[in-house]
């Protein structure tokens, strides 16, 4: 006997079904041993292919050769590069000064997150998972954080995803996602909502950065950027839409 | 040419040719090489792995990846931000492969490959889960290596690179339906290989 649902099994395992259909199939699997066995078999095969297929890594001389060709293609004069470095340091120092000279009346959490954003920008390796693909970045956080979240589709938008990393706010682990828009960087921080949620007070702060904060679906999110307020709220609403269930 | 969706306000307006859209974007200032490095270097191993599976030769794969990076760096000024960089890199690699000696040879014979496969294909409807668990990595590698290239590349992009069917279709410039049928044939042939190699008679 062949169950009529069997045709959806490989789509289910490849995560290619619409979310509603995916749930229907999942419900069917609890009733149908035939399909459940087929899903297990597909999953095993997929896993076996993944393990066996990741066979080769680039030899060291290829790594070196590519690094060299990237450097030699770099046409920026050294002086320019140095001035860029100096300017960056000055900029970070100024921003740091602005930040710390700001009266403590701003929410200390927000101050910490702005600080984290600045640290990220100044870092030589700003993110730990480097990818513009949300299907790479989202799974990277699995197992690293006690919660999950969705990332917005950016195709046909002006935003790009640069990657992400795990950050701590006090003792609380969260995700920092780094985006870019017209050469400006945007950090979105995601934490698990706490029981006694109180909306962060953002009114009348004098920060050199735009900060948005919101809570949704058990998540506590903050956006920090020096991009325009319009860009900030656009990315924030895309992020909110992706996490609306 | 790569197909992509053009949409505004969430409404899909139609399909346009991405490559020309990129080329005539007017932004020739480009992005710094540093950005390219940040995006591209993590793809070095995946691209090399894919290249090895395509051409089956270490030297050829190395040249292929090197050429891919050179082309990508040159074209990075025209890479549209916000689009899928990984798919873009794999597309360049795949297109470069098609113009290589091995790629040209393959294009000459791919038709036969698919036809031969049709004839020898055996359908396995019953899950072979115990057998798959007994198949070790080396056997799986041999099984993947015996697949016709047209099936192997789809399988690898879906199962190793975890690309969506649509992404695979874009990279390989084939319809999504073809991605799906090649994928299912690839998997059928893997099962067949495992059954035969482990010397077990398949009983329905
Ligand atoms: Zn069923």
């Amino acid at each position: 006997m062949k169950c009529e649902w069997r045709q959806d099994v490989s789509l289910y395992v490849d995560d290619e079904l619409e979310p509603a259909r995916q749930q229907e199939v999942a419900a069917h699997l609890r009733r149908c041993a035939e399909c459940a066995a087929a899903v297990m078999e597909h999953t095993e095969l997929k896993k076996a292919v993944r393990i066996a297929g990741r066979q080769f890594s680039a030899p060291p001389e290829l790594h070196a050769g590519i690094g060299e060709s990237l450097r030699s293609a770099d046409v920026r004069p050294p002086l320019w590069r140095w001035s860029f470095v100096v300017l960056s340091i000055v900029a970070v120092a100024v921003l740091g000064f602005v930040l710390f000279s700001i009266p403590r009346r701003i929410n200390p959490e927000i101050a910490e997150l702005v600080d984290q954003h600045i640290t990220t920008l100044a870092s030589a390796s700003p993110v730990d998972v480097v990818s513009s693909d949300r299907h790479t970045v989202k799974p990277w956080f699995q197992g690293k954080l006690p919660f999950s979240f969705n990332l917005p589709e950016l195709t046909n938008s002006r935003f790009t995803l640069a990657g992400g990393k795990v950050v701590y706010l006090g003792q609380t682990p969260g995700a920092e996602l780094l985006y870019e828009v017209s050469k400006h960087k945007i950090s979105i921080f995601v934490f698990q909502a706490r029981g006694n949620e109180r909306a962060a007070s953002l009114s009348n702060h004098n920060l050199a950065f735009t900060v948005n904060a919101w809570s949704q679906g058990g998540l506590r999110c903050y956006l920090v950027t020096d991009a325009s307020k319009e860009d900030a709220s656009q990315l924030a609403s895309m992020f909110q839409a992706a996490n609306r269930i | 040419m790569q197909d992509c969706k053009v949409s505004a306000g969430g409404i899909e307006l139609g399909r346009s040719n991405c490559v020309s859209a990129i080329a005539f974007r007017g932004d020739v200032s480009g992005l710094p090489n540093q950005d390219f490095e940040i995006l591209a270097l993590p793809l070095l191993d995946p691209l090399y792995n894919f290249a090895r599976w395509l051409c089956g030769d270490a030297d050829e794969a190395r040249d292929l990846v090197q050429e891919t990076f050179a082309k990508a760096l040159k074209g990075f000024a025209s890479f549209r931000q916000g689009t899928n960089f990984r798919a873009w890199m794999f597309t360049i690699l795949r297109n470069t492969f098609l113009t290589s000696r091995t790629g040209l040879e393959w294009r000459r014979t791919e038709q036969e490959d698919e036809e031969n496969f049709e004839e020898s294909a055996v359908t396995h409807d019953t899950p072979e889960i115990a057998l798959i668990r007994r198949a070790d990595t080396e056997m799986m590698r041999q099984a993947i290596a015996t697949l016709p290239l047209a099936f192997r590349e789809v399988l690898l992009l879906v199962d190793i690179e975890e690309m969506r069917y649509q992404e695979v279709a874009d990279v390989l410039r084939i319809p999504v339906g073809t991605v799906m049928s090649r994928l299912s044939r690839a998997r059928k042939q893997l099962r067949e290989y495992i059954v035969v190699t482990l010397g077990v008679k398949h009983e329905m």
Side-chain angles (χ1 to χ4, degrees):
Chain A
M1 273 299 287
K2 190 163 176 173
C3 175
E4 57 183 13
W5 290 65
R6 279 285 294 277
Q7 57 192 2
D8 277 351
V9 161
S10 51
L11 293 172
Y12 176 82
V13 173
D14 288 335
D15 196 17
E16 288 282 340
L17 294 170
E18 295 294 320
R21 183 68 182 158
Q22 191 88 2
Q23 286 182 3
E24 280 172 28
V25 174
H28 172 74
L29 295 178
R30 290 193 285 272
R31 298 190 304 269
C32 175
E34 184 194 334
C35 288
V39 163
M40 272 174 64
E41 191 263 2
H42 270 75
T43 309
E44 288 286 326
L45 186 64
K46 210 173 154 68
K47 195 174 84 187
V49 169
R50 187 170 63 238
I51 292 167
R54 282 192 185 142
Q55 186 179 0
F56 310 102
S57 29
E61 71 268 20
L62 182 58
H63 270 280
I66 294 220
E68 202 172 301
S69 65
L70 287 175
R71 276 189 298 279
S72 66
D74 202 332
V75 289
R76 282 174 294 186
L79 187 64
W80 194 90
R81 301 190 78 174
W82 275 110
S83 63
F84 177 76
V85 170
V86 170
L87 277 175
S88 304
I89 293 168
V90 170
V92 167
V94 167
L95 290 174
F97 176 75
V98 168
L99 183 71
F100 289 117
S101 59
I102 283 176
R104 287 295 162 202
R105 64 193 166 75
I106 54 160
N107 183 320
E109 273 190 5
I110 302 287
E112 205 177 320
L113 291 172
V114 174
D115 199 9
Q116 175 62 49
H117 176 69
I118 294 170
T119 310
T120 298
L121 299 196
S123 164
S125 48
V127 285
D128 291 332
V129 52
V130 185
S131 173
S132 60
D133 183 2
R134 65 193 174 121
H135 298 301
T136 305
V137 174
K138 185 189 160 181
W140 185 84
F141 285 102
Q142 273 166 17
K144 297 187 177 70
L145 295 174
F147 60 93
S148 74
F149 49 87
N150 295 321
L151 298 178
E153 171 62 60
L154 299 174
T155 311
N156 300 320
S157 81
R158 292 163 46 244
F159 300 92
T160 11
L161 179 60
K165 68 177 164 195
V166 173
V167 291
Y168 285 87
L169 183 59
Q171 301 297 313
T172 317
E176 178 179 8
L177 301 151
L178 191 63
Y179 291 90
E180 289 177 32
V181 63
S182 2
K183 310 271 167 194
H184 293 281
K185 305 273 196 285
I186 303 178
S187 288
I188 292 187
F189 298 95
V190 187
F191 299 94
Q192 209 163 11
R194 291 164 301 198
N196 55 342
E197 195 61 76
R198 195 168 54 88
S201 166
L202 299 171
S203 53
N204 298 330
H205 67 70
N206 296 322
L207 293 173
F209 293 87
T210 299
V211 182
N212 292 5
W214 69 92
S215 302
Q216 64 173 145
L219 300 177
R220 195 152 52 97
C221 309
Y222 304 89
L223 179 153
V224 182
T225 187
D226 64 338
S228 73
K229 284 196 165 58
E230 291 70 31
D231 284 343
S233 54
Q234 197 190 340
L235 184 61
S237 30
M238 286 165 74
F239 197 88
Q240 287 159 12
N243 285 286
R244 201 167 288 141
I245 302 142
Chain B
M1 291 286 150
Q2 201 180 336
D3 234 13
C4 73
K5 286 176 187 164
V6 178
S7 68
I11 299 157
E12 196 180 324
L13 299 175
R15 289 176 173 277
S16 78
N17 187 303
C18 278
V19 175
S20 56
I22 290 164
F24 296 107
R25 203 167 130 259
D27 178 4
V28 288
S29 63
L31 297 160
N33 288 345
Q34 210 185 344
D35 289 356
F36 178 79
E37 253 180 270
I38 288 170
L39 288 168
L41 283 185
L43 297 175
L44 180 50
D45 280 334
L47 286 166
Y48 179 78
N49 186 56
F50 188 61
R52 276 291 291 265
W53 278 111
L54 283 181
C55 41
D57 177 83
D59 288 343
E60 223 180 312
R62 192 198 52 216
D63 293 350
L64 184 52
V65 171
Q66 222 145 20
E67 206 177 328
T68 301
F69 271 73
K71 283 182 183 170
L73 180 60
K74 242 192 209 164
F76 191 51
S78 63
F79 171 69
R80 216 170 48 131
Q81 285 221 52
T83 57
N84 187 331
F85 182 77
R86 190 173 59 130
W88 184 68
M89 290 293 286
F90 274 89
T91 307
I92 295 173
L93 182 116
R94 172 69 168 29
N95 292 348
T96 309
F97 167 71
L98 289 182
T99 58
S100 73
R101 201 166 40 81
T102 311
L104 288 169
E105 176 65 17
W106 170 59
R107 280 202 283 182
R108 208 173 53 73
T109 56
E110 69 178 318
Q111 231 46 45
E112 298 163 27
D113 266 3
E114 290 210 33
E115 278 159 25
N116 291 342
F117 179 75
E118 290 271 25
E119 287 160 22
S120 62
V122 177
T123 310
H124 285 279
D125 283 337
T126 310
E128 309 289 346
I129 192 155
L131 288 184
I132 294 169
R133 286 185 180 149
R134 277 174 53 203
D136 61 15
T137 302
E138 195 42 50
M139 188 194 297
M140 284 305 297
R141 283 177 181 161
Q142 282 164 17
I144 297 169
T146 60
L147 293 176
L149 191 49
F151 300 160
R152 194 192 309 150
E153 58 180 1
V154 171
L155 180 81
L156 295 175
L157 291 178
V158 171
D159 283 351
I160 298 181
E161 297 310 322
E162 293 176 354
M163 285 190 188
R164 320 297 307 184
Y165 292 173
Q166 183 61 58
E167 284 178 273
V168 177
D170 290 343
V171 169
L172 304 179
R173 297 179 191 167
I174 51 176
V176 175
T178 309
V179 170
M180 290 163 70
S181 68
R182 286 186 184 172
L183 186 60
S184 101
R185 287 162 170 205
R187 287 169 174 165
K188 263 182 198 163
Q189 191 172 331
L190 290 182
R191 291 184 180 101
E192 174 71 10
Y193 185 94
I194 293 166
V195 169
V196 168
T197 309
L198 290 175
V200 181
K201 273 255 165 72
H202 181 71
E203 288 163 36
M204 286 295 289

